[in-house]
Amino acid sequence: MIKIENLKASIDDKDILKGINLEIPAGEVHVIMGRNGSGKSTLANVIAGNETYEVDGGNITMETTDITEMSIENRALEGIFLCFQYPVAIPGVSMAYFLRSALNAHRKYQGKEEMDALEFLNKAKAILSELGLDDSFLKRSINDGFSGGEKKKSEILQLLTINPKLAVLDETDSGLDVDALRTVAKGVNKFKNENNSVLIITHYQRLLDYIKPDVVHLMIDGKIVKTGDMSLVEKVEKDGYSWLEK
Amino acid sequence: MIDILKKISSDFFNKQGYPSKKLENWKFTSSKNLIKFDKQDSPDIVSRKIETDESTLLFINGKLCLDTLENFKFKDNLEIQDLVNINDENVFAFSNTFSNDSMFNLGMSDFESGHYIKFKKNTTLENPIKIINFFENNSSDCRITSFNIFHFEEGSQVSIIEKDINEGTPSFNLKLNKFICDDASNLKFGKYIEEKSDCHLLSYSYYEVGKDVCLNIDSMNKNSIFSKEFIEIDLNNTGSDAKINILNLVKNEQHLDNNILINHNAEHCTSFQHVRNILDNKSTAVFNGKVIVAEGAQHTDSNQSNKNLLLSLDSTAFSNPQLEIYADDVSCGHGSTTGALDENSIFYLRARGIDQSSAQKMLIKAFAKEVIDEFSLSSVQDISEIALDSWING
């Protein structure tokens, strides 16, 4: 699905990513863990095309398309979806208007007809119900006045509405209580299938109790230094990261 | 009476001349732009018929068109007099701020005729009245001055939507208005200004507010090359509430200035000012907002907010929110922000597949919508949303 080769990126002349190599085939869930400042969120943002970061080398290929130089919106239209660690609040733009605009941008890109308001509402309400959210959620401004849990559920609502090819979850589990965590995990599990991929960035095992990863990567100082299975997560929970530096 | 006032005003202006930038209220707006409009040309007859319906009052070059009154369905609720026939000096009383402003005095000395329009006691109008100010002149660089007084008697509930239409050559419209709101009256006054781009506007609106009055002023302004608006509200008795919500859309080299003063002269009154400016290209916007809470005006609740969205590095916003408080048991707040579109918000929208231009437009609309949603008149909300769309896409 996505192939990242020797990716290097910096911000304000400070090197963050120092040669990332990562390939996530369709149908797989990958996890990246690492210390604070190791470059996990930078990787998520660079995949999404955040222009704050400078790409200094390497390639990102989505299926067969090189997206390294692609605009933010075109990457999204190619199938990349970043679940934000800190979703921004945008007062004055309703969730319904925003979601329908985003969905129809994707449909237009895919050569499909735009979804009319009624069809969209039916689709959105069905997803809201699964996430335990009230229909009035759609009338609220984007993330404005949302609790931490609501913000993350809003991200999952967007994920399920847009239905991208690759979901990058940037610490989506941070700040969630157990019930909200289960709801988020339920949403991600509903999303994933053999035709799409998920990249989870996290510090903790708890989300992975609900979403079983196929591959686990450990990141230190801008590089993936170890790749393995779920046993790596258990080792990190037990021993931290210092053993990787020996 | 009016001749005496005109003479006093004429003397004042001849002595003071055009205001300089040394004056606080003219610090960021040059009156030099207005000097060239020294001809007076305001014919009563215009070149085309203006469509009006039975709820419209038509003013041509500032003068009430008495013909339209014949069909005006609320004429029984009105009492109209020529200002020449008013001898009560209280009717002509204005605030010191206005009386000491030389351009206001120029207007007072200038105007040819005006009306005193009184809405009788307990008049209740379910639908808004429309006021169309039609300006047309035949020669360039001319100044059109108008002066009208609106009086809302006790218990009256009136909504007014005012629209300016300008035709002809570039002009300078100098508008003076006084609004007298008697006890327990409710006035919703919506203004929609979509001037021709070469029209200059300077207006003075003075509101004299009694007890338990509810006053709402909604205003949407776009396309004026030069607009300076003074609004002054005297809250003279207890229990009154004044809300002002203004949205200004400015681009190119347009200059727009809102000068608002609210005087809390009595206890238990509330006021709210919310002015949002969206500026593009080399445009300039000025907000001079002041609230004065007089000694003894306890339990005043007042808030001022000015927010400026700069879409261009060449646009400029001057914001000057001020509070003067002489009472000790009040709740007053003010705030001002000026900035560009938030890059994080643009990234968020683009990361969902929305293109950059659409994301920017979405955020501009969101910024404007927060004040449009506060407008008291739904028709002004609707007009403003349409005008906003055309401004953004224009």
Side-chain angles (χ1 to χ4, degrees), chain A residues 187-230:
Chain A
V188 175
N189 284 324
K190 182 178 166 52
F191 162 74
K192 71 187 179 76
N193 60 43
E194 67 275 15
N195 297 317
N196 61 31
S197 312
V198 179
L199 174 61
I200 298 172
I201 290 167
T202 186
H203 280 289
Y204 311 106
Q205 187 178 338
R206 57 186 201 142
L207 180 64
L208 308 176
D209 291 337
Y210 301 100
I211 308 169
K212 295 295 172 198
D214 299 293
V215 182
V216 176
H217 309 274
L218 301 183
M219 202 165 160
I220 292 216
D221 192 24
K223 282 186 175 176
I224 290 173
V225 294
K226 190 93 180 163
T227 295
D229 58 17
M230 190 64 186

Side-chain angles (χ1 to χ4, degrees), chain A residues 50-51 72-73 76 81-82 84 90-91 93 98 102 105-106 143 155 158, chain B residues 344-345 347-356 362-363 365-366 369-370:
Chain A
N50 191 335
E51 290 159 351
I72 302 162
E73 55 268 35
F81 183 96
L82 172 63
F84 283 72
I90 307 180
V93 181
F98 161 58
H106 280 79
N143 301 324
E155 295 293 289
Q158 294 167 45
Chain B
N344 290 328
S345 299
F347 174 55
Y348 190 79
L349 297 174
R350 291 177 73 192
R352 297 297 178 252
I354 296 167
D355 67 78
Q356 183 160 15
M362 212 179 262
L363 294 175
K365 276 173 128 173
K369 204 163 177 338
E370 284 196 272

Side-chain angles (χ1 to χ4, degrees), chain B residues 333-348:
Chain B
H334 63 173
S336 169
T337 61
T338 299
L341 289 171
D342 178 41
E343 288 298 329
N344 290 328
S345 299
I346 292 173
F347 174 55
Y348 190 79

Side-chain angles (χ1 to χ4, degrees), chain B residues 5 59 83 86 88-95 98-99 104 108 115-119 131 146-152 160 162 175-182 187 189 203-209 215 230-234 236:
Chain B
L5 290 172
F59 290 78
L83 289 180
I86 304 285
D88 181 354
E89 62 181 330
N90 290 326
V91 172
F92 293 109
F94 276 87
S95 68
F98 284 12
S99 302
F104 175 82
M108 282 294 279
H115 283 89
Y116 168 78
I117 300 161
K118 183 160 81 179
F119 291 80
I131 288 180
S146 61
F147 177 34
N148 291 288
I149 297 174
F150 296 85
H151 186 170
F152 305 90
I160 295 173
E162 184 189 59
K175 287 167 71 177
L176 317 181
N177 284 121
K178 180 174 178 181
F179 301 84
I180 303 164
C181 301
D182 286 350
L187 171 62
F189 191 76
S203 76
Y204 292 83
S205 300
Y206 174 59
Y207 295 81
E208 203 173 66
V209 174
L215 169 66
F230 286 90
I231 296 173
E232 182 163 350
I233 300 174
D234 270 340
N236 292 330

Side-chain angles (χ1 to χ4, degrees), chain B residues 78-121:
Chain B
L78 297 183
E79 194 181 303
I80 296 177
Q81 293 180 65
D82 196 307
L83 289 180
V84 174
N85 299 322
I86 304 285
N87 288 311
D88 181 354
E89 62 181 330
N90 290 326
V91 172
F92 293 109
F94 276 87
S95 68
N96 285 339
T97 322
F98 284 12
S99 302
N100 291 318
D101 184 285
S102 61
M103 294 306 289
F104 175 82
N105 282 284
L106 175 64
M108 282 294 279
S109 63
D110 233 10
F111 82 95
E112 288 177 5
S113 73
H115 283 89
Y116 168 78
I117 300 161
K118 183 160 81 179
F119 291 80
K120 293 177 188 169
K121 192 173 175 179

